[in-house]
């Protein structure tokens, strides 16, 4: 079109082409500037087109001489893209995209179908984690990463799962200070990381069993002798046995534990026997005989900011009169021995009474809740807890007839137990006649099969067996088996009864060319030690009590 226009001009008037081109360029420049001014002031429609009505009234004389199509092609592309890009950026920065709300009732207002920006979940700070090093009885160590709010009970559950142990609610975490000769079992509610912050580099945690932690709830009379428990408000100095435990747990009551103890003098190596009483306010000693008047009582330690520990090798470390020592250690004290309070009892029962009363008066109902509340499954892994069977639920049964019956006569039950022991021997003899499937000789197998059992501790001395029994709790029926040091062919059963440790020798005997083991001079014979242990777990026999708990050492 423009080409035809230029041809007509040349043919009619012979116009200068260079001047005409310059005039057209100036007209186009003015057109661009006008379009730019109008596009900045005119808003865009939804389809991206400019509104043409203001443009027609702009008063520009050069616009009517140019076609409308050419104006849109020369002015539209650059300006529309710039404005559209700017509006899209403003839209993205001003608000979040609309997200459909699957739970509109959780938003404000409740009927809003779109999640508001403030209703979106915020990033929660991660809980702090700490690394705890724990040792087992055999000296093995494990590094475990735990949360800062993990309790001792949850930590034991984690170790039980990792070590594939049987969870019988008797595993504990022990705070051990070898440089001071102190150790104690952590309460179930205590925080492991918090206790670790008060320990030195030489201190460590031990993972072991303790069957006596809550044994005083089952039989408090054995733990608290009548002469050691008194009321502050009573003149006779005694309380009913039925109310003993309730009064110790009741915060409003004022029980006292009193008696004579050896007290180590501060800053000295000497010990002095004093009359001591334990109250909720603290531990006191009398400066005048057995007087409990306020003017004669001198404070030894408080209960709130202190913990009670058992002494290990107290005769060797602190020259104590007996081996039944304990210590009260403030939480803030790390290595200063002058701040520790050392005490010593006459026997194990007296020491257990003082230490148990200290825990009861300090924690009260919290300790009872730890005993009553079942094991909490706070970890994400499912743990299998075996069913516990009380020895009171075990009765003698007779299966000789078509149906079983309970043997109620004690003499008949004892006779049945003896017959069962002989029946085991007969079954073993028949197996030996028919042939043994084991590559070992029958006599050889019976002498080594017990070494695979957790209750057998090998060739350990008597003192070591005493140490293991004390560490895992002086409860009735706690036992272990070991090799005899005096007779190479014999074994020894170490048993706890009434907080006393007793030893019973297991001697080999021969009958018809076969070796048996017996505790009662051959009256009841067993082919191996496994049969012997299983028998006395069901029958007391010549023992003072049945075998109930076995000492065990696990490797982490």
């Amino acid at each position: 079109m423009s080409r035809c226009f230029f041809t007509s001009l040349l043919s009619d008037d012979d116009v200068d082409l260079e001047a005409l081109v310059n005039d057209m360029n100036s007209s186009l420049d003015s057109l661009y500037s006008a379009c730019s001014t109008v596009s900045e002031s005119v808003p865009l429609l939804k389809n991206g087109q400019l509104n043409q009505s203001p443009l027609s009234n702009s008063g520009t004389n050069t616009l009517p001489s140019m076609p409308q199509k050419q104006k849109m092609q020369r002015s539209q592309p650059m300006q529309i893209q710039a404005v559209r890009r700017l509006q899209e950026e403003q839209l993205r920065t001003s608000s979040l995209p609309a997200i459909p709300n699957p739970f509109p009732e959780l938003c404000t207002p409740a009927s809003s179908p779109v999640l508001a920006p403030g209703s979106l979940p915020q990033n929660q700070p991660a809980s702090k984690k700490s690394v705890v090093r724990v040792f087992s009885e055999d000296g093995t160590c494990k590094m475990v990463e735990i949360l800062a709010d993990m309790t001792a009970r949850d930590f034991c559950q984690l170790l039980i799962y990792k070590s594939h142990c049987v969870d019988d609610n008797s595993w504990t975490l022990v705070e051990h200070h070898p440089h001071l000769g102190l150790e104690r079992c952590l309460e179930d509610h205590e925080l492991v990381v918090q206790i670790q912050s008060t320990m030195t580099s030489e201190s460590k945690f031990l993972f072991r069993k303790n069957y006596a932690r809550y044994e005083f709830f089952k039989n408090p009379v054995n733990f608290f002798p009548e002469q050691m428990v008194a009321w502050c408000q009573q003149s006779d100095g005694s309380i009913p046995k039925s109310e003993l435990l309730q009064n110790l747990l009741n915060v409003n009551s004022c029980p006292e534990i009193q008696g004579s103890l050896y007290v180590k003098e501060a800053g000295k190596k000497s010990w002095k026997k004093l009359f001591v009483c334990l109250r909720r306010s603290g531990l006191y000693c009398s400066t005048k005989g057995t007087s409990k008047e306020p003017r004669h009582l001198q404070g030894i330690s408080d209960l709130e900011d202190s913990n009670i520990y058992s002494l290990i090798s107290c005769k060797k470390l602190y020259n104590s009169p007996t081996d039944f020592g304990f210590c009260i250690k403030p939480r803030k004290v790390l290595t200063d021995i002058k701040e520790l309070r050392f005490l010593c009892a006459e026997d194990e029962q007296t020491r257990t009474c003082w230490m148990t009363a200290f825990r009861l008066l300090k924690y009260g109902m919290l300790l009872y809740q730890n005993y009553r509340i079942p094991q909490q499954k706070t970890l994400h892994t499912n743990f299998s807890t075996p069913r516990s069977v009380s020895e009171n639920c075990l009765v003698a049964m007779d299966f000789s007839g078509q149906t079983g019956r309970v043997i109620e006569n004690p003499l008949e039950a004892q006779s049945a137990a003896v017959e069962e022991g002989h029946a085991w021997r007969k079954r073993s003899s028949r197996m030996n006649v028919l042939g043994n499937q084991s590559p070992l000789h029958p006599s050889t197998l019976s002498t080594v099969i017990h070494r695979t059992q957790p209750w057998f501790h090998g060739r350990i001395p008597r003192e070591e067996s005493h140490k293991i029994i004390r560490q895992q709790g002086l409860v009735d029926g706690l036992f272990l088996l070991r090799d005899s040091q005096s007779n190479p062919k014999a074994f020894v059963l170490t048993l706890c009864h009434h907080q006393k440790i007793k030893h019973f020798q297991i001697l080999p005997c021969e009958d018809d060319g076969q070796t048996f083991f017996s505790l009662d001079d051959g009256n009841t014979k067993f082919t191996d030690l496994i049969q012997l242990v299983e028998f006395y777990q069901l029958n007391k026999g010549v023992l003072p009590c049945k075998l109930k708990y076995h000492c065990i050492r696990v490797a982490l």
Side-chain angles (χ1 to χ4, degrees), residues 105-336:
E105 65 275 6
L106 300 180
C107 294
T108 303
S111 60
S112 175
V114 179
L115 288 172
S119 63
L120 295 177
Q122 303 294 330
N123 294 329
Q124 299 293 336
S127 301
K128 290 185 178 180
K129 293 185 178 181
S130 300
V131 177
V132 177
R133 185 174 62 173
V134 59
F135 292 83
S136 63
E137 291 291 327
D138 61 351
T140 58
C141 174
K142 180 181 285 293
M143 306 290 288
V144 183
E145 185 180 35
I146 63 173
L147 298 176
D149 58 348
M150 178 171 282
T151 62
R153 167 177 285 177
D154 295 337
F155 187 62
C156 287
Q157 286 288 291
L158 180 62
L159 294 177
I160 290 171
Y161 172 72
K162 289 182 175 293
S163 304
H164 307 286
C165 302
V166 177
D167 183 12
D168 54 359
N169 296 327
S170 61
W171 291 100
T172 59
L173 195 64
V174 179
E175 177 187 353
H176 183 67
H177 302 274
H179 58 291
L180 297 176
L182 309 177
E183 68 176 21
R184 74 176 182 99
C185 293
L186 268 65
E187 305 296 344
D188 288 340
H189 63 273
E190 292 188 86
L191 301 181
V192 178
V193 177
Q194 183 178 359
I195 300 300
Q196 185 178 237
S197 62
T198 63
M199 298 168 58
T200 62
S201 58
E202 298 179 357
S203 305
K204 57 184 177 181
F205 285 122
L206 300 177
F207 181 58
R208 73 159 70 120
K209 281 197 172 189
N210 190 335
Y211 297 98
R213 276 197 310 162
Y214 302 119
E215 191 70 18
F216 54 86
F217 284 117
K218 303 175 184 178
N219 195 359
V221 178
N222 291 345
F223 281 80
F224 302 102
E226 185 177 355
Q227 67 273 11
M228 293 185 61
V229 184
W231 280 102
C232 295
Q233 301 173 354
Q234 290 182 354
S235 57
D236 56 356
S238 63
I239 59 176
K241 294 182 179 180
S242 59
E243 301 178 3
L244 173 63
L245 195 58
Q246 290 82 351
N247 291 326
L248 287 173
L249 294 175
N250 188 6
V251 180
N252 298 324
S253 63
C254 300
E256 282 188 5
I257 305 297
Q258 60 184 15
S260 298
L261 289 175
Y262 293 98
V263 181
K264 186 176 183 297
E265 299 185 54
K268 298 181 181 179
K269 295 183 179 181
S270 59
W271 295 72
K272 189 175 182 180
K273 193 172 185 178
L274 299 173
F275 182 80
V276 183
C277 63
L278 178 64
R279 300 175 179 175
R280 295 192 185 276
S281 56
L283 184 67
Y284 303 90
C285 65
S286 177
T287 58
K288 186 178 180 180
T290 60
S291 175
K292 294 191 292 184
E293 296 184 10
R295 59 176 180 171
H296 296 151
L297 293 180
Q298 181 179 357
I300 298 178
S301 176
D302 61 344
L303 277 66
E304 186 66 25
D305 297 328
S306 302
N307 290 316
I308 192 165
Y309 296 79
S310 299
L311 284 178
I312 307 171
S313 304
C314 55
K315 274 190 173 182
K316 179 180 180 181
L317 294 177
Y318 302 104
N319 195 24
S320 62
T322 66
D323 289 325
F324 312 105
F326 59 97
C327 171
I328 300 178
K329 173 180 171 295
R331 294 180 180 177
K332 298 181 180 179
V333 176
L334 297 180
T335 58
D336 191 4

Side-chain angles (χ1 to χ4, degrees), residues 459-528:
R459 193 172 185 82
I460 60 174
R462 176 185 291 246
E463 293 75 15
E464 182 69 17
S465 65
H466 283 208
K467 177 182 176 182
I468 296 174
I469 292 286
R470 289 196 184 99
Q471 288 177 348
Q472 301 196 12
L474 292 173
V475 295
D476 291 349
L478 181 62
F479 74 97
L480 62 86
L481 266 73
R482 57 186 176 88
D483 290 316
S484 175
Q485 291 184 315
S486 58
N487 188 350
K489 297 182 180 181
F491 303 92
V492 177
L493 170 66
T494 303
L495 177 65
C496 178
H497 179 64
H498 288 172
Q499 297 187 354
K500 294 182 180 179
I501 302 175
K502 301 180 180 180
H503 304 272
F504 302 89
Q505 196 170 38
I506 304 173
L507 296 173
C509 58
E510 291 187 2
D511 189 1
D512 296 334
Q514 186 178 356
T515 303
F516 296 94
F517 299 95
S518 177
L519 263 175
D520 51 4
D521 297 330
N523 293 328
T524 309
K525 302 175 184 179
F526 306 93
T527 58
D528 54 52

Side-chain angles (χ1 to χ4, degrees), residues 401-425:
Q402 295 182 355
T403 59
R405 67 179 182 89
V406 178
I407 302 177
E408 298 180 357
N409 188 354
L411 297 178
E412 185 182 359
Q414 185 177 3
S415 176
V418 175
E419 292 180 1
E420 182 67 16
H422 292 292
W424 278 342
R425 183 184 63 172

